[in-house]
């Protein structure tokens, strides 16, 4: 039988073709089985391999399609028919096949054997009798006979970073397949960069499964890509139909999966459907705890799991050899959910799943309360999607039992609080806990002790996101309630974070008062980790007033952290001691301390604090004049802060990169970085860092030929520092002095002094506006670049994927509150994004953002 032909190209399988061809050309390979889930493209791959090998085989290739066959005893008959052997009556079929194949160098391609595996013995006997015969099998499970080599066919790779650059997304095999088939279905689908994020999300939703991508692409004649993605996020029912020349079992994705499900026995089907709640994968231990709660799986749960693995309904997660972890593809998991609902077990199984993960979270929370526990954090991170699935189920379960669901969600939120804090899931944590707290309050089932803990958790999350007013109000109330109930742990942390908020806003006296009280409470508790953290915070607040006393506190904190082996905590005083060494000009010592802190933070994968160490090393490099190295550190820190959504922390690396750009003479980039940093610092109020931004922009003004403006802004920065009783950070001082020396010579000394005094008396808000109004790039750059920078809507810096998303929502008329709700961010963060968009694009209103978004394909087309 000739090989089947296809009217479409095979996308993204060149490496697999080469690997399978190499295996079959090896003399020891007689039987090779391609396994993989239904719809992964095993047949297409096998046919491509056979076409590649056909010319090198003396007697070619014979294709045997077995999908429609139901009787395993007829497999040899099907092979004979495909070879065109006549029925000779008196000679048994097996012997006729052996006579025909014994001396022939031939490849048999047996397609879809999974439902006929009991014929494996016949296939093995045929191979033994025919030494030049090779057999290539496609099957959802291996034949398990001697000499068989198994090659697993995986779904096509798809972008794991859904916000990656368009060219990187478009190069993904899954995206290439989807867009090629989509254009075949609807030529109006344009291959432009703006569709890359949507295509990436569609491919991720479908796990890169070729059949699912083909079925989805067939719907593009009816549904534009955004509408298709929206439907896929709700359900896979849209994946029906497809090409008419597909086998019946592949006309819908559900039929393809059902084909494998039908091969399971009763016990295996029970396990399969009970795996449905696991959104983030599972281990053997979790299977035993969650799925065998009624002993219906018995002692043979591993055998049942093996069967699911063999049929590719379950996949083993790569890189989990020490503690094997498994998962269902999302397309298969949705089918499992249907089976679970039909069984009537859904509520029972989901409750078992939720209870198991609640207990895991509470155990982890206890460990994190004592000292950082990297293994516990990593365990919670691995199960993050499972926790998200629990919250989704609890929201649905609230319709039947609102009190039970609300209390469960509240308890789980409190258990996950430290995890959210440590791992930077601040927006998600704040939204989850806010919802849970409001529900238990609404239902009247909130006790005052739990209320104090919840307010502490929310206050800490507010603080991490830069919402200091809200944070301080919640933390003060938490401290009051905790004090009334004698909860010293909660009281200690509430005072601690309230003090940190005051410190961050340069209210040093308030900060010291709160933090001294926090230290006193921590000493009474007798837990070294709490005490070390409180002493460190007090040292931070003491430094501006008494650096020597602060140094002693840092050393005490360091000793306590070392005594309990708290590597994450130890990096805190080491970093601040590095800052003190830098301030004193001891650069080598500063670098060594920052590098030790960096190594500790990399070891525990504490991303936020990792960025602090990186930026600290960037400051050392700036002080030493090594701007190229400084740029490397600041860029890595900036990437981390952007990924975490910590907009208020972005100001530091942005300012550093602005000064680096000034040192290189890149005025346009310097303006972009320093303006964005200044806008962020303005939200925090009057701080030394804001003065550093003013100094950087003053230097830019002088370099661009406006020495008078430069003098005014330097004077305004000096006035701010005098009012705060503070000084610039060491690297900012070095660069400020360098810039003043460079640009002050462009004016007479008297003119410089007069302009500086004028700036000294300039109100801060006016000084900020003047700094933001500095034109760029300046007269010493090409005229063409000058014209481009002043053109309305000129782009002064690339928008991030999130900023482009916000711009599109502005174009659709959404308010800041609506944008915040849709994107799962705070209203303040939404406003920050809009400010950044206006700054980068040189725009002045939301209406201008909307016009720009429509022009760039991010918003709806205007109505005629």
């Amino acid at each position: 039988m000739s090989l089947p032909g296809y009217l479409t190209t095979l996308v993204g399988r060149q490496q697999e073709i080469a690997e399978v061809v190499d295996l079959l050309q090896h003399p020891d390979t007689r039987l090779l089985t391609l396994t993989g889930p239904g719809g992964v493209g095993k047949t297409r791959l096998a046919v491509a391999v056979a076409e590649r090998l056909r010319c090198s085989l003396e007697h070619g290739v014979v294709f045997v399609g077995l999908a429609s066959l139901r009787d395993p005893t007829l497999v040899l008959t099907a092979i004979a028919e495909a070879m065109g052997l006549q029925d000779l009556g008196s000679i048994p079929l097996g012997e006729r096949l052996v006579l025909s194949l014994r001396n022939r160098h031939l490849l048999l391609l047996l397609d879809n054997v999974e439902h006929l595996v009991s014929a494996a013995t016949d296939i093995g006997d045929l191979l033994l009798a025919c030494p030049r015969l090779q057999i290539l099998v496609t099957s959802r499970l291996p034949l398990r006979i001697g000499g068989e080599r198994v090659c697993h066919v995986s779904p096509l790779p798809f972008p794991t970073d859904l916000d990656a650059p368009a060219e990187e997304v478009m190069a993904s095999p899954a995206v290439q397949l989807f867009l090629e088939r989509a254009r075949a279905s609807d030529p109006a689908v344009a291959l432009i960069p703006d569709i890359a994020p949507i295509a990436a999300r569609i491919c991720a939703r479908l796990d890169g499964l070729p059949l699912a991508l083909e079925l989805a692409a067939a719907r593009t004649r009816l549904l534009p890509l955004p509408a298709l993605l929206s439907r896929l996020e709700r359900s896979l029912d849209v994946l029906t139909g497809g090409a008419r020349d597909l086998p019946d079992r592949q006309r819908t994705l559900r039929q393809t999966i059902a084909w494998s499900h039908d091969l399971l026995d009763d016990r295996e089907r029970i396990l399969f459907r009970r795996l449905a709640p696991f959104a983030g994968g599972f281990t053997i231990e979790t299977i035993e705890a969650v799925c065998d709660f009624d002993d219906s799986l018995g002692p043979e749960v591993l055998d049942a799991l093996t069967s699911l693995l063999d049929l590719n309904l379950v996949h083993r997660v790569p890189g989990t050899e020490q503690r094997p972890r498994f998962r269902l593809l999302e397309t298969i998991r949705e089918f499992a959910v249907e089976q679970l609902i039909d069984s009537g077990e859904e509520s029972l199984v989901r409750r078992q799943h939720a209870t198991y993960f609640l207990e895991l979270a509470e155990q982890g929370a206890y460990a994190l309360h004592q000292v950082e526990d990297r293994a516990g954090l990593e365990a919670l991170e691995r199960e993050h999607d499972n926790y998200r699935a629990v919250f989704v189920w609890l929201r649905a379960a609230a319709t039947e039992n609102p009190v039970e669901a609300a209390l469960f969600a509240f308890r789980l939120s409190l258990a996950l609080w430290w995890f959210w804090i440590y791992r930077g899931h601040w927006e998600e944590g704040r939204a989850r806990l806010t919802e849970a707290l409001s529900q238990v309050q609404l239902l009247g089932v909130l006790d005052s002790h739990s209320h104090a803990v919840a307010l502490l958790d929310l206050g800490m999350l507010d603080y991490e996101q830069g919402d200091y007013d809200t944070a301080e109000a919640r933390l003060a109330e938490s401290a009051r309630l905790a004090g009334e109930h004698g909860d010293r742990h909660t009281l200690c942390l509430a005072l601690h974070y309230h003090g940190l908020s005051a410190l961050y806003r340069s209210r040093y006296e308030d900060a010291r008062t709160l933090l001294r009280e926090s230290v006193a409470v921590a000493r009474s508790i007798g837990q070294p980790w709490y005490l070390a953290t409180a002493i460190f915070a007090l040292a931070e607040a003491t430094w501006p007033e008494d650096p020597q006393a602060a140094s002693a506190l840092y050393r005490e904190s360091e000793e306590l952290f070392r005594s309990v082996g708290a590597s994450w905590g130890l990096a805190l005083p080491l970093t601040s001691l590095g800052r003190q060494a830098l301030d004193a000009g001891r650069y080598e010592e500063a670098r060594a301390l920052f590098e030790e802190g960096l190594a500790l933070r990399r070891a525990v994968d504490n991303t936020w604090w990792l960025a602090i160490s990186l930026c600290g090393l960037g400051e050392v490099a700036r002080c030493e004049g090594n701007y190229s190295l400084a740029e490397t550190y600041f860029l890595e820190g900036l990437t981390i802060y952007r990924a975490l959504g910590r907009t208020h922390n972005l100001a530091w690396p942005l300012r550093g990169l602005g000064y680096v750009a000034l040192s290189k003479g890149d005025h346009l980039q310097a303006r972009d970085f320093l303006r964005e940093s200044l806008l962020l610092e303005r939200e925090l109020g009057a701080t030394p860092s804001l003065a550093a931004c003013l100094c950087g922009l003053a230097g830019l003004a002088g370099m661009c030929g406006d020495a008078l403006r430069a003098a005014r802004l330097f004077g305004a920065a000096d006035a701010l520092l005098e009012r705060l009783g503070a000084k610039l950070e060491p690297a900012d001082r070095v660069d400020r002095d360098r810039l003043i020396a460079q640009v002050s010579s462009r004016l007479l000394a008297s003119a410089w002094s007069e302009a500086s005094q004028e700036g000294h008396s300039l109100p801060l808000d006016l000084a900020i506006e003047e700094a933001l109004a500095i034109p760029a790039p300046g007269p010493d750059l090409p005229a063409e670049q000058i014209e481009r920078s002043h053109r309305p809507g000129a782009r002064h810096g690339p928008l991030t994927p999130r900023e482009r998303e916000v711009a599109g929502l502005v174009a659709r008329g959404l308010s800041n509150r609506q944008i915040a709700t849709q994107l799962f961010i705070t209203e303040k963060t939404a406003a920050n994004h809009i400010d950044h968009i206006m700054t980068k694009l040189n725009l002045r209103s939301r209406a201008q953002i909307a016009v720009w978004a429509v022009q760039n394909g991010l918003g709806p087309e205007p109505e005629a």
Side-chain angles (χ1 to χ4, degrees):
M1 184 177 178
S2 61
L3 291 170
Y6 297 95
L7 299 176
T8 56
T9 58
L10 180 61
V11 177
R13 292 298 192 192
Q14 294 310 309
Q15 181 177 345
E16 289 93 333
I17 292 172
E19 290 173 354
V20 175
V21 166
D22 285 346
L23 285 171
L24 287 170
Q25 288 179 330
H26 195 281
D28 292 338
T29 304
R30 301 286 312 287
L31 171 62
L32 178 61
T33 302
L34 303 182
T35 67
V40 80
K42 298 182 292 296
T43 301
R44 284 296 302 265
L45 176 59
V47 169
V49 167
E51 288 174 340
R52 183 80 63 88
L53 288 170
R54 187 181 349 219
C55 295
S56 64
L57 296 165
E58 183 181 349
H59 298 98
V61 179
V62 174
F63 178 86
V64 186
L66 299 171
S68 60
L69 200 65
R70 290 294 177 269
D71 187 349
T73 64
L74 298 179
V75 168
L76 294 183
T77 302
I79 294 173
E81 290 175 352
M83 293 182 62
L85 294 183
Q86 295 182 355
D87 186 353
L88 300 181
S90 59
I91 302 177
L93 178 63
E95 293 182 25
R96 277 189 289 129
L97 276 173
V98 170
L99 287 171
S100 176
L101 293 171
R102 179 182 295 158
N103 297 313
R104 299 177 73 177
H105 185 202
L106 183 90
L107 176 68
L108 273 181
L109 200 172
L110 306 182
D111 186 44
N112 287 110
V113 184
E114 59 269 357
H115 58 304
L116 304 166
V117 289
S118 58
T121 302
D122 292 337
I123 295 171
D125 290 343
L126 195 60
L127 282 168
L128 286 172
C130 306
R132 303 186 69 197
L133 175 67
Q134 286 181 293
I135 298 180
L136 176 61
V137 171
T138 71
S139 175
R140 301 187 191 185
L141 70 166
L143 302 186
R144 298 197 181 282
I145 59 176
E148 179 185 31
R149 300 191 70 167
V150 178
C151 182
H152 181 75
V153 182
S154 299
L156 291 173
F158 55 87
T160 53
D161 179 3
L162 300 181
D163 294 320
E167 60 272 14
E168 182 179 327
V169 171
M170 297 293 220
S172 156
V175 172
Q176 287 181 352
L177 174 65
F178 171 71
L179 291 179
E180 179 178 305
R181 300 298 193 262
R183 281 183 59 77
S185 176
D186 179 11
V189 175
L191 300 180
I192 57 176
D194 284 348
I195 72 168
I198 301 174
R201 283 167 171 77
I202 289 172
C203 293
R205 173 70 174 100
L206 301 177
D207 289 304
L209 195 66
L211 175 62
L213 297 174
E214 301 243 13
L215 294 172
R219 288 299 189 192
T220 55
R221 291 189 64 187
L222 176 66
L223 298 170
L225 294 191
L228 176 62
L229 174 60
S230 177
R231 284 182 169 271
L232 286 173
E233 287 176 341
R234 297 195 302 269
S235 171
L236 297 177
D237 285 341
V238 70
L239 302 183
T240 61
R244 296 184 188 277
D245 57 354
L246 282 173
D248 287 343
R249 71 183 188 283
Q250 292 188 347
R251 294 298 301 281
T252 76
L253 190 64
R254 182 171 287 101
Q255 285 174 301
T256 302
I257 300 169
W259 173 270
S260 294
H261 184 261
D262 289 344
L263 300 176
L264 301 176
D265 63 26
D266 290 342
R267 182 169 46 85
E268 293 160 355
R269 291 182 187 185
I270 291 173
L271 175 59
F272 174 70
R273 67 176 181 250
R274 290 182 181 179
L275 293 174
F278 290 96
F282 45 86
T283 63
I284 293 172
E285 292 79 8
T286 54
I287 292 174
E288 293 171 336
V290 174
C291 300
D292 198 26
F293 55 89
D294 58 355
D295 295 325
S296 59
L297 297 176
E300 299 161 343
V301 64
L302 292 182
D303 292 338
L305 178 61
T306 300
S307 295
L308 298 182
L309 282 167
D310 286 344
L311 276 166
N312 289 282
L313 290 169
V314 168
H315 293 265
R316 189 163 139 179
V317 177
T320 60
E321 288 76 15
Q322 296 298 320
R323 191 183 182 201
R325 189 171 179 84
F326 309 90
R327 66 180 288 259
L328 304 178
L329 296 181
E330 279 303 301
T331 49
I332 294 174
R333 192 169 81 89
E334 185 160 317
F335 183 85
V337 170
E338 293 175 0
Q339 303 305 307
L340 183 61
I341 293 171
D342 290 344
S343 73
E345 293 182 337
E346 185 185 20
S347 179
L348 186 59
V349 175
R350 288 196 182 275
R351 185 183 304 277
Q352 193 74 14
H353 173 267
T355 301
Y356 174 84
F357 284 106
L358 172 63
E359 292 172 354
L360 180 67
E362 290 182 333
Q363 292 167 8
Y366 178 79
L368 290 173
H369 268 283
Q370 310 308 309
V371 64
E372 77 248 22
D373 175 8
R374 183 183 181 189
L377 283 171
E378 290 175 348
L380 291 172
E381 190 71 63
R382 282 193 298 270
E383 305 299 353
H384 198 177
D385 285 336
N386 276 312
Y387 285 112
R388 288 168 172 156
V390 172
F391 279 112
V392 171
W393 173 68
L394 288 170
R395 192 173 294 159
T399 57
E400 294 184 5
N401 195 330
V403 172
E404 182 183 10
L407 287 172
F408 199 113
F410 184 58
R411 185 176 161 192
L412 183 58
S413 297
L414 296 182
L416 289 173
W417 157 53
W418 274 113
F419 164 68
W420 286 327
I421 289 286
Y422 274 120
R423 284 301 172 113
H425 302 298
W426 303 306
E427 287 184 11
E428 179 179 354
R430 187 158 74 157
R432 299 266 191 225
L433 184 51
T434 299
E435 180 181 354
L437 178 60
S438 65
Q439 286 300 308
V440 291
Q441 284 179 312
L442 182 65
L443 294 168
V445 290
L446 176 66
D447 63 89
S448 56
H449 173 259
S450 298
H451 193 190
V453 176
L455 288 172
L456 166 65
D457 299 357
L458 282 171
M460 289 175 67
L461 290 163
D462 293 330
Y463 168 79
E464 300 296 1
Q465 291 190 283
D467 190 353
Y468 300 111
D469 288 336
T470 304
E472 291 184 20
R474 283 175 165 157
L475 291 166
E477 179 62 9
S478 174
R480 185 187 69 79
L481 291 172
E484 290 178 357
H485 287 274
D487 181 356
R488 290 180 294 170
H489 291 83
T490 300
L491 175 60
C492 177
L493 287 174
L495 292 166
H496 177 98
Y497 270 84
H498 195 169
L500 285 179
S501 180
L503 172 63
Y504 206 88
R505 302 168 93 180
S506 300
R507 301 199 328 266
Y508 299 113
E509 190 56 46
D510 291 344
R512 284 190 288 270
T513 299
L514 289 161
L515 291 168
R516 286 190 187 106
E517 190 176 351
S518 175
V519 168
V521 175
R523 289 192 192 280
S524 72
I525 295 173
Q527 286 191 352
W529 189 85
Y530 272 56
L531 181 57
T533 306
I535 290 173
F536 164 75
L538 179 58
E540 293 283 281
T542 302
W543 186 0
E545 179 188 51
D546 188 344
Q548 188 172 357
S551 182
L553 289 169
Y554 286 134
R555 292 298 182 189
E556 183 182 357
S557 174
E558 178 190 357
E559 290 174 9
L560 285 166
F561 279 127
R562 288 191 190 278
S563 72
V564 294
S567 55
W568 171 85
L570 176 59
L572 296 172
L574 290 177
T575 299
S576 290
L577 287 166
R579 289 168 52 220
Q580 285 196 320
L582 185 63
D583 192 49
R586 302 191 303 272
Y587 299 153
E588 288 296 327
E589 181 185 344
R591 182 186 298 105
L593 287 163
F594 281 127
E595 286 178 344
E596 185 178 356
L598 179 66
L600 290 168
R601 284 162 176 161
R602 286 201 191 279
V604 298
D605 194 25
N606 190 279
T607 315
W608 168 37
W609 285 96
L610 180 65
I612 291 177
S613 292
L614 289 165
C615 291
L617 285 165
E619 297 290 88
V620 176
R622 274 179 67 194
C623 287
E624 294 179 323
N626 190 343
Y627 290 99
S628 177
L629 180 59
E631 183 176 33
T632 300
Y633 285 127
F634 284 128
L635 280 173
E636 187 176 353
L638 180 66
T639 301
I640 290 172
Y641 283 141
R642 286 208 191 279
L644 291 175
R646 289 187 65 89
T647 53
H648 60 297
N649 285 111
L650 283 174
W652 185 7
L654 285 168
R655 185 175 78 250
L657 288 167
Y659 276 109
V660 167
L662 283 176
S663 75
K664 297 190 300 183
D666 189 342
H667 300 161
L668 185 63
Q669 191 173 62
R671 180 176 182 266
D672 286 345
F673 283 133
L674 288 167
R675 285 187 66 180
E676 186 176 357
S677 182
L678 180 60
L679 286 168
L680 292 166
E681 291 291 355
R682 183 174 62 177
E683 296 175 12
L684 299 176
T687 65
S689 297
L690 192 152
C693 292
L694 289 176
C695 289
L697 287 164
L700 174 66
M703 288 180 173
C704 292
D706 193 347
L708 283 172
R709 190 199 298 257
R712 281 196 302 273
L713 291 176
F714 277 123
D718 288 343
L720 174 57
L721 292 169
E722 289 171 12
R723 189 164 71 249
L724 294 174
K727 61 182 181 180
L728 294 175
E729 292 293 328
D732 293 327
R733 292 201 300 271
V734 168
D735 278 327
R736 173 189 179 276
D737 294 345
R738 175 179 61 82
L739 290 170
I740 288 179
Q742 184 174 348
V743 302
S744 62
S745 60
R746 302 185 182 189
L747 283 179
L748 293 173
S750 58
W752 179 272
S753 177
E754 183 179 347
S756 179
Q757 285 302 315
E758 182 182 343
H760 203 277
S761 59
L762 192 66
L764 181 59
D765 58 342
L766 295 182
I768 291 172
E769 291 304 320
E770 182 165 354
L772 292 173
I774 293 173
D780 52 347
L781 291 176
E784 178 186 353
Q785 198 168 359
I786 295 173
E787 187 279 328
R788 188 169 66 246
S789 73
H790 288 284
R791 189 171 61 244
R795 188 160 178 170
H796 290 306
L799 297 191
T800 65
R802 176 48 62 89
E803 287 165 355
R804 291 172 64 82
E805 201 171 6
V806 170
L809 296 176
V810 170
R812 287 169 169 78
L814 272 65
S815 66
N816 285 5
R817 177 169 295 181
Q818 291 169 323
I819 291 172
T821 300
Q822 182 147 337
L823 298 183
F824 215 56
I825 59 178
T826 67
E827 191 172 345
K828 187 174 183 179
T829 300
N832 290 343
H833 284 311
I834 290 170
D835 276 348
H836 300 163
I837 292 167
M838 289 182 181
T839 299
K840 289 182 177 181
L841 303 182
N842 196 23
L843 303 176
R844 297 182 179 179
S845 68
R846 295 173 74 94
Q848 288 182 333
I849 293 176
V851 171
W852 180 90
V854 171
Q855 290 173 345
N856 287 270
L858 300 178
E861 291 294 330
E863 295 182 5

